[in-house]
Structure formats: C-alpha cells, structure tokens
Coordinates of all heavy atoms in Angstrom, one line a residue:
M843 N 68.6 23.3 123.3 CA 69.2 23.7 122.1 C 69.2 25.3 122.0 O 68.3 25.9 122.5 CB 68.4 23.1 120.9 CG 69.1 23.3 119.6 SD 68.5 22.2 118.3 CE 67.3 23.3 117.6
K844 N 70.2 25.8 121.4 CA 70.3 27.3 121.3 C 71.0 27.7 120.0 O 72.0 27.1 119.6 CB 71.1 27.7 122.5 CG 71.6 29.1 122.5 CD 72.4 29.3 123.8 CE 73.4 30.4 123.7 NZ 74.2 30.7 124.9
N845 N 70.5 28.7 119.4 CA 71.2 29.3 118.2 C 71.9 30.5 118.5 O 71.5 31.3 119.3 CB 70.1 29.6 117.1 CG 69.4 28.3 116.5 OD1 69.8 27.2 116.9 ND2 68.4 28.6 115.7
E846 N 73.0 30.7 117.8 CA 73.8 31.9 118.0 C 74.5 32.4 116.8 O 75.0 31.5 116.0 CB 74.9 31.6 119.1 CG 75.6 32.9 119.6 CD 76.6 32.5 120.7 OE1 76.2 31.8 121.6 OE2 77.8 32.9 120.6
K847 N 74.4 33.6 116.4 CA 75.1 34.2 115.2 C 76.6 34.0 115.3 O 77.2 34.1 116.4 CB 74.8 35.7 115.1 CG 73.4 35.9 114.5 CD 73.6 36.1 113.0 CE 72.3 36.5 112.3 NZ 72.0 35.7 111.1
M848 N 77.2 33.7 114.2 CA 78.6 33.5 114.1 C 79.2 34.8 113.7 O 78.7 35.6 113.0 CB 79.0 32.5 113.1 CG 78.5 31.1 113.5 SD 78.4 29.9 112.1 CE 80.1 29.7 111.7
N849 N 80.4 35.1 114.3 CA 81.1 36.4 114.0 C 81.7 36.4 112.6 O 81.8 37.4 111.9 CB 82.2 36.6 115.0 CG 81.7 36.9 116.3 OD1 80.6 37.5 116.5 ND2 82.4 36.5 117.4
S850 N 82.2 35.2 112.1 CA 82.9 35.2 110.9 C 82.0 35.3 109.7 O 80.9 34.8 109.7 CB 83.7 33.9 110.8 OG 82.9 32.8 110.9
K851 N 82.4 36.0 108.6 CA 81.7 36.1 107.4 C 82.1 35.1 106.3 O 81.4 34.7 105.4 CB 81.9 37.5 106.8 CG 81.2 38.6 107.7 CD 81.4 40.0 107.1 CE 80.7 41.0 107.9 NZ 81.0 42.4 107.5
I852 N 83.4 34.7 106.5 CA 83.9 33.7 105.6 C 84.6 32.6 106.4 O 85.2 32.9 107.4 CB 85.0 34.3 104.7 CG1 84.4 35.3 103.7 CG2 85.8 33.2 103.9 CD1 85.4 36.0 102.8
E853 N 84.3 31.4 106.0 CA 85.0 30.2 106.7 C 85.7 29.4 105.7 O 85.1 29.1 104.6 CB 84.0 29.4 107.5 CG 83.4 30.1 108.7 CD 82.7 29.2 109.6 OE1 82.7 28.0 109.4 OE2 82.1 29.8 110.6
I854 N 86.9 29.0 106.0 CA 87.6 28.1 105.1 C 88.0 26.8 105.9 O 88.4 26.9 107.0 CB 88.8 28.7 104.4 CG1 89.9 29.1 105.3 CG2 88.4 29.9 103.5 CD1 91.2 29.4 104.6
Y855 N 87.8 25.7 105.2 CA 88.2 24.4 105.8 C 89.3 23.8 105.0 O 89.2 23.6 103.8 CB 87.0 23.5 105.8 CG 85.8 24.0 106.6 CD1 85.0 24.9 106.2 CD2 85.7 23.5 107.9 CE1 83.9 25.4 106.9 CE2 84.6 23.9 108.7 CZ 83.8 24.9 108.2 OH 82.8 25.4 109.0
I856 N 90.5 23.7 105.7 CA 91.7 23.2 105.0 C 91.8 21.7 105.4 O 91.9 21.4 106.6 CB 92.9 24.0 105.5 CG1 92.7 25.5 105.2 CG2 94.1 23.5 104.7 CD1 93.8 26.4 105.7
C857 N 91.9 20.9 104.4 CA 92.1 19.4 104.6 C 93.4 19.2 105.3 O 94.4 19.6 104.9 CB 92.0 18.6 103.4 SG 92.4 16.9 103.6
N858 N 93.4 18.6 106.5 CA 94.5 18.2 107.2 C 94.6 16.7 107.4 O 95.2 16.2 108.3 CB 94.6 18.9 108.6 CG 95.2 20.2 108.6 OD1 96.3 20.5 109.2 ND2 94.7 21.1 107.8
Y859 N 93.9 16.0 106.5 CA 93.8 14.5 106.6 C 95.2 13.9 106.4 O 95.9 14.2 105.4 CB 92.8 14.0 105.6 CG 92.5 12.5 105.9 CD1 91.7 12.2 107.0 CD2 93.0 11.5 105.1 CE1 91.4 10.8 107.2 CE2 92.7 10.2 105.3 CZ 91.9 9.9 106.4 OH 91.6 8.6 106.6
E860 N 95.6 13.0 107.3 CA 96.9 12.3 107.2 C 96.6 10.9 106.9 O 95.8 10.2 107.6 CB 97.7 12.5 108.5 CG 99.0 11.8 108.4 CD 99.8 12.1 109.7 OE1 99.3 12.5 110.7 OE2 101.1 11.8 109.6
R861 N 97.2 10.4 105.8 CA 97.0 9.0 105.5 C 98.4 8.4 105.4 O 99.1 8.5 104.4 CB 96.3 8.9 104.1 CG 95.8 7.5 103.7 CD 95.1 7.5 102.4 NE 93.9 8.3 102.3 CZ 93.6 9.3 101.6 NH1 94.5 9.8 100.8 NH2 92.4 9.9 101.6
P862 N 98.9 7.8 106.5 CA 100.3 7.3 106.6 C 100.6 6.4 105.4 O 99.9 5.5 105.1 CB 100.3 6.6 107.9 CG 99.3 7.3 108.7 CD 98.2 7.6 107.8
G863 N 101.7 6.7 104.7 CA 102.2 5.9 103.6 C 101.5 6.2 102.3 O 101.8 5.5 101.3
E864 N 100.5 7.1 102.3 CA 99.8 7.4 101.0 C 99.8 8.9 100.9 O 100.1 9.7 101.8 CB 98.4 6.8 101.1 CG 98.3 5.3 101.0 CD 96.9 4.9 100.9 OE1 96.1 5.4 100.1 OE2 96.5 4.0 101.7
D865 N 99.4 9.3 99.7 CA 99.2 10.7 99.4 C 98.1 11.3 100.2 O 97.1 10.7 100.4 CB 98.9 10.9 97.9 CG 99.4 12.3 97.4 OD1 100.1 12.9 98.1 OD2 98.9 12.6 96.3
S866 N 98.4 12.5 100.7 CA 97.3 13.2 101.5 C 97.7 14.7 101.6 O 98.8 15.1 101.3 CB 97.2 12.7 102.9 OG 98.3 13.0 103.7
C867 N 96.7 15.5 101.9 CA 96.9 16.9 102.0 C 97.9 17.2 103.2 O 98.8 18.1 103.0 CB 95.6 17.7 102.3 SG 94.5 17.6 100.8
F868 N 97.8 16.4 104.2 CA 98.8 16.6 105.3 C 100.2 16.4 104.8 O 101.1 17.2 105.2 CB 98.5 15.6 106.5 CG 99.3 15.8 107.7 CD1 98.9 16.6 108.7 CD2 100.5 15.1 107.8 CE1 99.7 16.8 109.9 CE2 101.3 15.3 109.0 CZ 100.9 16.1 110.0
A869 N 100.4 15.4 104.0 CA 101.8 15.1 103.5 C 102.3 16.2 102.6 O 103.5 16.4 102.4 CB 101.8 13.7 102.8
K870 N 101.4 17.0 102.1 CA 101.8 18.1 101.2 C 101.9 19.4 101.9 O 102.2 20.4 101.3 CB 100.7 18.2 100.1 CG 100.6 17.1 99.1 CD 99.5 17.2 98.2 CE 99.3 15.9 97.4 NZ 98.0 15.9 96.6
G871 N 101.8 19.4 103.2 CA 102.1 20.6 104.0 C 100.9 21.4 104.5 O 101.0 22.5 104.9
S872 N 99.7 20.7 104.6 CA 98.5 21.4 104.9 C 98.6 21.9 106.4 O 97.9 22.9 106.7 CB 97.2 20.6 104.7 OG 97.2 19.5 105.5
K873 N 99.3 21.2 107.3 CA 99.3 21.7 108.7 C 100.0 23.0 108.8 O 99.5 23.9 109.4 CB 100.0 20.6 109.5 CG 100.1 21.1 111.0 CD 101.0 20.2 111.9 CE 101.0 20.7 113.3 NZ 101.3 22.1 113.5
E874 N 101.1 23.2 108.1 CA 101.9 24.4 108.1 C 101.1 25.6 107.5 O 101.0 26.7 108.0 CB 103.2 24.3 107.4 CG 104.2 23.3 108.1 CD 103.9 21.8 107.8 OE1 103.0 21.5 107.0 OE2 104.7 21.0 108.3
L875 N 100.4 25.2 106.4 CA 99.6 26.2 105.7 C 98.4 26.7 106.6 O 98.1 27.8 106.8 CB 99.0 25.6 104.4 CG 98.1 26.6 103.6 CD1 98.9 27.8 103.1 CD2 97.4 25.8 102.5
T876 N 97.8 25.7 107.3 CA 96.7 26.0 108.2 C 97.1 26.9 109.4 O 96.5 27.9 109.7 CB 96.1 24.7 108.8 OG1 95.7 23.9 107.7 CG2 94.9 25.0 109.6
D877 N 98.3 26.5 110.0 CA 98.8 27.3 111.1 C 99.1 28.7 110.7 O 98.7 29.7 111.3 CB 100.1 26.7 111.6 CG 99.9 25.3 112.3 OD1 98.8 25.0 112.6 OD2 100.9 24.6 112.5
D878 N 99.6 28.9 109.5 CA 100.0 30.2 108.9 C 98.7 31.0 108.7 O 98.5 32.2 109.1 CB 100.7 30.1 107.6 CG 101.1 31.4 107.0 OD1 101.5 32.4 107.7 OD2 100.9 31.6 105.8
L879 N 97.7 30.4 108.1 CA 96.4 31.1 107.7 C 95.6 31.4 109.0 O 95.0 32.4 109.1 CB 95.6 30.3 106.7 CG 96.2 30.3 105.3 CD1 95.4 29.5 104.4 CD2 96.4 31.7 104.7
K880 N 95.6 30.5 110.0 CA 94.9 30.7 111.2 C 95.5 32.0 111.9 O 94.7 32.8 112.4 CB 95.0 29.5 112.1 CG 94.0 28.4 112.0 CD 94.3 27.3 113.0 CE 93.1 26.4 113.1 NZ 92.0 27.0 113.9
K881 N 96.8 32.0 112.0 CA 97.5 33.2 112.7 C 97.1 34.4 112.0 O 96.8 35.4 112.6 CB 99.0 32.9 112.7 CG 99.8 33.9 113.4 CD 101.2 33.4 113.5 CE 102.1 34.3 114.3 NZ 102.4 35.6 113.7
W882 N 97.2 34.4 110.6 CA 96.9 35.6 109.8 C 95.5 36.1 110.0 O 95.2 37.3 110.3 CB 97.2 35.3 108.3 CG 96.6 36.3 107.4 CD1 97.2 37.5 107.1 CD2 95.4 36.3 106.7 NE1 96.4 38.2 106.2 CE2 95.2 37.5 106.0 CE3 94.4 35.2 106.6 CZ2 94.1 37.7 105.2 CZ3 93.3 35.5 105.8 CH2 93.2 36.7 105.1
A883 N 94.6 35.1 109.9 CA 93.1 35.5 110.0 C 92.8 36.1 111.4 O 92.1 37.1 111.5 CB 92.3 34.3 109.8
K884 N 93.4 35.5 112.4 CA 93.2 36.0 113.8 C 93.7 37.4 113.9 O 93.1 38.3 114.5 CB 93.8 35.1 114.8 CG 93.5 35.4 116.2 CD 94.1 34.3 117.1 CE 93.7 34.6 118.6 NZ 94.3 33.6 119.5
E885 N 94.9 37.7 113.4 CA 95.5 39.0 113.6 C 95.1 40.1 112.6 O 95.1 41.2 112.9 CB 97.1 38.8 113.4 CG 97.7 38.0 114.5 CD 99.1 37.7 114.3 OE1 99.7 38.1 113.2 OE2 99.8 37.1 115.2
E886 N 94.7 39.6 111.4 CA 94.4 40.6 110.3 C 93.0 40.8 110.0 O 92.6 41.8 109.2 CB 95.2 40.2 109.1 CG 96.7 40.1 109.3 CD 97.4 41.5 109.5 OE1 96.9 42.5 109.0 OE2 98.4 41.5 110.2
T887 N 92.1 39.9 110.3 CA 90.7 40.0 109.8 C 89.7 40.3 110.9 O 88.4 40.2 110.6 CB 90.3 38.8 109.0 OG1 90.0 37.7 109.9 CG2 91.3 38.5 108.0
Q888 N 90.1 40.5 112.1 CA 89.1 40.8 113.2 C 88.0 39.8 113.3 O 86.9 40.1 113.4 CB 88.6 42.2 113.1 CG 89.6 43.3 113.4 CD 90.5 43.6 112.3 OE1 90.1 43.6 111.1 NE2 91.8 43.8 112.6
K889 N 88.4 38.5 113.1 CA 87.5 37.4 113.2 C 86.5 37.3 112.0 O 85.5 36.6 112.0 CB 86.6 37.4 114.5 CG 87.5 37.2 115.7 CD 86.7 37.1 116.9 CE 87.5 36.8 118.2 NZ 86.8 36.8 119.4
G890 N 86.8 38.1 110.9 CA 85.9 38.1 109.7 C 86.1 36.9 108.9 O 85.2 36.4 108.2
I891 N 87.3 36.3 109.1 CA 87.6 35.0 108.4 C 88.0 34.0 109.4 O 88.8 34.2 110.3 CB 88.7 35.2 107.4 CG1 88.3 36.1 106.3 CG2 89.1 33.8 106.7 CD1 89.4 36.5 105.3
K892 N 87.3 32.8 109.4 CA 87.6 31.7 110.3 C 88.3 30.6 109.5 O 87.8 30.2 108.4 CB 86.4 31.2 110.9 CG 86.6 30.1 112.0 CD 85.4 29.7 112.7 CE 85.8 28.7 113.7 NZ 84.6 28.3 114.6
V893 N 89.4 30.2 110.0 CA 90.2 29.1 109.3 C 90.0 27.8 110.2 O 90.3 27.9 111.4 CB 91.7 29.5 109.2 CG1 92.5 28.3 108.6 CG2 91.8 30.7 108.4
V894 N 89.6 26.8 109.6 CA 89.3 25.5 110.3 C 90.2 24.4 109.8 O 90.3 24.2 108.6 CB 87.8 25.1 110.1 CG1 87.5 23.8 110.9 CG2 86.9 26.3 110.6
R895 N 90.8 23.7 110.7 CA 91.6 22.5 110.4 C 90.6 21.4 110.1 O 89.9 20.9 111.0 CB 92.5 22.2 111.5 CG 93.6 21.2 111.2 CD 94.4 20.9 112.5 NE 94.9 22.1 113.2 CZ 96.0 22.9 112.7 NH1 96.7 22.5 111.7 NH2 96.3 24.0 113.4
G896 N 90.4 21.0 108.8 CA 89.4 20.1 108.5 C 89.9 18.7 108.1 O 91.1 18.5 108.1
G897 N 88.9 17.9 107.9 CA 89.2 16.5 107.4 C 89.2 16.4 106.0 O 89.2 17.4 105.2
C898 N 89.2 15.1 105.5 CA 89.3 14.9 104.0 C 88.1 15.5 103.3 O 86.9 15.3 103.8 CB 89.3 13.4 103.7 SG 89.4 13.0 102.0
L899 N 88.3 16.2 102.2 CA 87.2 16.9 101.5 C 86.9 16.1 100.2 O 86.2 16.7 99.4 CB 87.7 18.3 101.1 CG 87.9 19.3 102.3 CD1 88.6 20.5 101.9 CD2 86.6 19.6 103.1
G900 N 87.5 15.0 100.0 CA 87.2 14.1 98.9 C 87.9 14.6 97.6 O 87.4 14.3 96.5
K901 N 88.9 15.4 97.8 CA 89.6 15.9 96.6 C 91.1 15.6 96.7 O 92.0 16.4 96.3 CB 89.5 17.5 96.6 CG 88.1 18.0 96.4 CD 87.7 17.7 94.9 CE 86.3 18.4 94.6 NZ 85.9 18.0 93.3
C902 N 91.4 14.4 97.2 CA 92.7 14.0 97.7 C 93.8 14.1 96.5 O 94.9 14.6 96.8 CB 92.7 12.5 98.2 SG 91.3 12.2 99.2
S903 N 93.4 13.8 95.3 CA 94.4 13.8 94.3 C 94.7 15.3 93.8 O 95.6 15.5 93.1 CB 94.0 13.0 93.1 OG 92.8 13.5 92.5
E904 N 93.9 16.2 94.3 CA 94.0 17.6 93.9 C 94.4 18.5 95.1 O 94.3 19.7 95.1 CB 92.7 18.1 93.3 CG 92.3 17.4 92.1 CD 90.9 17.7 91.6 OE1 89.9 17.2 92.2 OE2 90.8 18.6 90.8
G905 N 94.9 17.8 96.2 CA 95.2 18.6 97.4 C 96.5 19.3 97.3 O 97.3 19.0 96.3
I906 N 96.8 20.2 98.1 CA 96.0 20.6 99.3 C 94.7 21.2 98.9 O 94.6 22.0 98.0 CB 96.8 21.6 100.2 CG1 98.2 21.0 100.6 CG2 96.0 22.1 101.3 CD1 99.1 22.0 101.3
A907 N 93.7 20.7 99.5 CA 92.3 21.1 99.2 C 91.7 22.1 100.3 O 91.9 21.8 101.5 CB 91.4 20.0 99.0
I908 N 91.1 23.1 99.9 CA 90.4 24.1 100.8 C 89.0 24.3 100.3 O 88.8 24.5 99.1 CB 91.2 25.4 100.8 CG1 92.6 25.3 101.2 CG2 90.5 26.4 101.7 CD1 93.5 26.6 101.1
A909 N 88.1 24.2 101.2 CA 86.7 24.5 100.9 C 86.3 25.9 101.5 O 86.6 26.2 102.7 CB 85.7 23.5 101.5
C910 N 85.7 26.8 100.7 CA 85.4 28.1 101.1 C 83.9 28.4 101.2 O 83.2 28.0 100.3 CB 86.0 29.2 100.2 SG 87.7 29.0 99.9
Y911 N 83.4 29.0 102.3 CA 82.0 29.3 102.5 C 82.0 30.8 102.8 O 82.8 31.3 103.6 CB 81.4 28.5 103.6 CG 81.3 27.0 103.2 CD1 82.4 26.2 103.6 CD2 80.3 26.5 102.5 CE1 82.4 24.8 103.3 CE2 80.2 25.1 102.2 CZ 81.3 24.3 102.6 OH 81.2 23.0 102.3
P912 N 81.0 31.6 102.4 CA 79.8 31.2 101.7 C 80.0 31.0 100.2 O 79.0 30.7 99.5 CB 78.8 32.3 102.0 CG 79.7 33.5 102.0 CD 81.0 33.0 102.7
Q913 N 81.2 31.1 99.6 CA 81.4 31.0 98.2 C 81.0 29.6 97.7 O 80.8 29.5 96.5 CB 82.8 31.4 97.8 CG 83.2 32.8 98.1 CD 83.7 33.0 99.5 OE1 83.5 32.2 100.4 NE2 84.3 34.2 99.8
K914 N 81.1 28.6 98.5 CA 80.9 27.2 98.1 C 81.8 26.9 97.0 O 81.4 26.4 95.9 CB 79.4 27.0 97.7 CG 78.4 27.1 98.8 CD 77.1 26.7 98.3 CE 76.1 26.8 99.4 NZ 74.7 26.4 98.9
E915 N 83.1 27.2 97.2 CA 84.1 26.9 96.2 C 85.3 26.1 96.8 O 85.6 26.3 98.0 CB 84.7 28.2 95.6 CG 83.8 28.9 94.7 CD 84.4 30.2 94.2 OE1 85.5 30.6 94.6 OE2 83.7 30.9 93.4
F916 N 85.9 25.3 96.0 CA 87.1 24.6 96.5 C 88.3 25.5 95.9 O 88.2 26.0 94.8 CB 87.2 23.2 95.9 CG 86.4 22.2 96.5 CD1 85.3 21.7 95.8 CD2 86.6 21.8 97.8 CE1 84.5 20.7 96.4 CE2 85.8 20.8 98.4 CZ 84.7 20.3 97.7
I917 N 89.4 25.5 96.7 CA 90.6 26.0 96.1 C 91.5 24.7 96.2 O 91.7 24.1 97.2 CB 91.3 27.1 97.0 CG1 90.4 28.2 97.2 CG2 92.6 27.5 96.4 CD1 90.9 29.3 98.2
L918 N 92.0 24.3 95.0 CA 92.7 23.0 94.9 C 94.1 23.2 94.4 O 94.5 24.2 93.9 CB 91.9 22.1 93.9 CG 90.4 21.9 94.3 CD1 89.7 21.2 93.1 CD2 90.3 21.0 95.6
E919 N 94.9 22.1 94.6 CA 96.3 22.1 94.1 C 97.1 23.2 94.8 O 97.9 23.8 94.2 CB 96.4 22.1 92.6 CG 95.7 20.9 92.0 CD 95.7 20.9 90.5 OE1 96.3 21.9 89.9 OE2 95.2 20.0 89.9
V920 N 96.7 23.5 96.1 CA 97.4 24.6 96.8 C 98.7 24.1 97.3 O 98.9 22.9 97.8 CB 96.5 25.0 98.0 CG1 97.2 26.0 98.8 CG2 95.1 25.5 97.5
K921 N 99.7 25.0 97.2 CA 101.0 24.7 97.8 C 101.2 25.7 99.0 O 100.6 26.7 99.0 CB 102.1 25.0 96.7 CG 101.9 24.3 95.4 CD 102.4 22.9 95.4 CE 102.3 22.2 94.1 NZ 101.0 21.6 93.8
K922 N 102.1 25.3 99.9 CA 102.3 26.1 101.0 C 102.7 27.5 100.6 O 102.3 28.5 101.2 CB 103.5 25.6 101.9 CG 103.1 24.3 102.7 CD 104.2 23.9 103.6 CE 105.2 23.2 102.9 NZ 106.3 22.6 103.7
E923 N 103.4 27.6 99.5 CA 103.9 28.9 99.0 C 102.8 29.8 98.4 O 103.0 30.9 98.0 CB 105.1 28.8 98.1 CG 104.9 27.9 96.9 CD 105.3 26.4 97.2 OE1 105.3 26.0 98.4 OE2 105.6 25.7 96.2
D924 N 101.6 29.2 98.3 CA 100.4 30.0 97.8 C 99.8 30.8 98.9 O 98.8 31.5 98.6 CB 99.4 29.0 97.2 CG 99.9 28.3 95.9 OD1 100.7 28.9 95.2 OD2 99.4 27.2 95.7
S925 N 100.3 30.8 100.0 CA 99.7 31.4 101.2 C 99.4 32.9 101.0 O 98.4 33.4 101.3 CB 100.6 31.2 102.4 OG 100.2 32.0 103.5
V926 N 100.4 33.6 100.4 CA 100.2 35.1 100.2 C 99.1 35.3 99.2 O 98.2 36.2 99.5 CB 101.5 35.7 99.6 CG1 101.3 37.1 99.2 CG2 102.6 35.6 100.6
E927 N 99.0 34.6 98.2 CA 97.9 34.7 97.2 C 96.5 34.4 97.8 O 95.5 35.1 97.5 CB 98.2 33.9 96.0 CG 97.3 34.1 94.8 CD 97.6 33.3 93.6 OE1 98.7 32.8 93.5 OE2 96.7 33.1 92.7
I928 N 96.5 33.4 98.6 CA 95.2 33.0 99.3 C 94.8 34.1 100.2 O 93.6 34.5 100.3 CB 95.4 31.7 100.0 CG1 95.6 30.5 99.0 CG2 94.2 31.4 101.0 CD1 96.0 29.2 99.6
K929 N 95.7 34.6 101.0 CA 95.4 35.7 101.9 C 94.8 36.9 101.2 O 93.8 37.5 101.6 CB 96.6 36.1 102.7 CG 97.1 35.1 103.7 CD 98.4 35.5 104.3 CE 99.0 34.4 105.2 NZ 100.4 34.7 105.6
K930 N 95.4 37.3 100.1 CA 95.0 38.4 99.3 C 93.6 38.2 98.7 O 92.7 39.0 98.8 CB 96.0 38.6 98.1 CG 95.7 39.8 97.2 CD 96.8 40.0 96.2 CE 96.6 41.1 95.3 NZ 96.0 40.7 94.0
G931 N 93.3 37.0 98.2 CA 92.0 36.6 97.7 C 90.9 36.6 98.8 O 89.8 37.1 98.6
L932 N 91.3 36.1 100.0 CA 90.3 36.1 101.1 C 90.0 37.5 101.6 O 88.8 37.8 101.9 CB 90.8 35.2 102.2 CG 90.9 33.7 102.0 CD1 91.6 33.0 103.1 CD2 89.5 33.2 101.8
K933 N 91.0 38.3 101.7 CA 90.8 39.7 102.1 C 89.9 40.4 101.1 O 89.0 41.2 101.6 CB 92.2 40.4 102.2 CG 92.2 41.7 102.9 CD 92.6 41.5 104.4 CE 92.6 42.8 105.1 NZ 93.2 42.8 106.3
E934 N 90.1 40.3 99.9 CA 89.3 40.9 98.8 C 87.9 40.4 98.9 O 86.9 41.2 98.9 CB 89.8 40.6 97.4 CG 91.1 41.5 97.1 CD 91.7 41.1 95.8 OE1 91.2 40.2 95.1 OE2 92.8 41.6 95.6
A935 N 87.7 39.1 99.1 CA 86.4 38.5 99.3 C 85.6 39.1 100.5 O 84.5 39.4 100.4 CB 86.4 37.0 99.3
L936 N 86.4 39.2 101.6 CA 85.8 39.8 102.8 C 85.3 41.2 102.6 O 84.2 41.6 103.0 CB 86.8 39.7 104.0 CG 86.4 40.1 105.3 CD1 85.2 39.3 105.8 CD2 87.5 40.1 106.3
E937 N 86.1 42.0 101.9 CA 85.8 43.4 101.7 C 84.6 43.5 100.7 O 83.9 44.5 100.8 CB 87.0 44.1 101.1 CG 88.1 44.3 102.1 CD 89.5 44.7 101.5 OE1 89.6 44.9 100.3 OE2 90.4 44.9 102.3
N938 N 84.4 42.6 99.9 CA 83.3 42.6 98.9 C 82.0 42.0 99.4 O 81.0 41.9 98.7 CB 83.7 42.0 97.6 CG 84.8 42.8 96.9 OD1 84.7 44.1 96.9 ND2 85.7 42.2 96.3
L939 N 82.0 41.5 100.6 CA 80.7 40.9 101.2 C 79.8 42.0 101.7 O 80.2 43.0 102.2 CB 81.0 39.9 102.3 CG 81.5 38.5 101.8 CD1 81.8 37.6 103.0 CD2 80.5 37.8 101.0
Ligands
LIG1207 S1 93.3 14.0 101.8 FE1 92.9 16.1 101.5 S2 91.0 16.1 100.3 FE2 91.4 14.0 100.9

C-alpha cells in the first residue's frame, strides 16, 4: 500500500448514470457536460480542478447532479447550458483556496 498527494485542489463528480427508459442525469445531457468540463479543467486549471465522470449521487429527481469537494456541496438541477456559470464558479473557488 502507498499514499500519494493528489495534484487537484477541487474535485467534482458529475453523475453520468444511465437508466434506460427512465429519468437520469445521463438522459439530461450529463455526458456532454462532463466532456466539456473535463476538457476545460485540463486546459484552463493546470490540474487544479479534476472532473470525474461519476455514478448516481442519489439526487436523481434533481439532476443533472454534481458533487463538489472539498466544499462538500451538491450543484443540482444543472443544465448543459449552465457550463459557463459552473466554470466561473469553480475558477473562483480555486482562486480562493
Ligand atoms: S441518476 Fe443522477 S443522481 Fe441519480
């Protein structure tokens, strides 16, 4: 076993759970949102923010759901078009850590 420090200061987990025939974050566009935020984080935050394609966060009726650490907060009812606002908020949070 071995411990290693992580580079990222903020990690967000975006629900990409797909439930065929039923409501899910995936059906609401979480894959496209995740792809966009992953690309942005890699290019713009020098690994300060890590974006993770996650599973169900138990907030299905309020999806797209995102869990943020170390803030320990959910961002809920996210739409794909909220991407710009999310990036702005994450960048501010990173600068204030
Ligand atoms: S399907 Fe996204 S939180 Fe459950």
Side-chain angles (χ1 to χ4, degrees):
M843 190 165 93
K844 165 180 159 181
N845 292 352
E846 187 175 313
K847 278 268 185 226
M848 297 164 65
N849 291 326
S850 55
K851 293 181 178 169
I852 294 175
E853 293 195 2
I854 65 168
Y855 295 80
I856 305 175
C857 172
N858 272 242
Y859 191 74
E860 183 176 13
R861 192 180 292 119
E864 291 184 49
D865 204 12
S866 67
C867 293
F868 185 89
K870 294 173 186 169
S872 63
K873 180 189 182 308
E874 293 81 2
L875 179 68
T876 305
D877 291 345
D878 179 43
L879 290 178
K880 271 181 164 288
K881 184 173 184 288
W882 166 80
K884 189 174 180 183
E885 292 173 358
E886 302 289 330
T887 74
Q888 289 77 42
K889 298 185 179 176
I891 297 173
K892 183 173 182 177
V893 178
V894 179
R895 195 178 309 278
C898 181
L899 298 169
K901 298 286 186 183
C902 315
S903 65
E904 300 171 276
I906 299 171
I908 301 175
C910 302
Y911 297 90
Q913 294 88 345
K914 293 186 178 176
E915 288 178 355
F916 287 111
I917 305 173
L918 301 170
E919 300 178 0
V920 176
K921 310 274 183 277
K922 285 185 285 186
E923 54 270 25
D924 293 331
S925 171
V926 171
E927 190 177 339
I928 291 170
K929 290 171 186 170
K930 184 173 177 261
L932 288 171
K933 192 97 179 194
E934 286 173 5
L936 183 61
E937 288 166 1
N938 291 322
L939 281 179

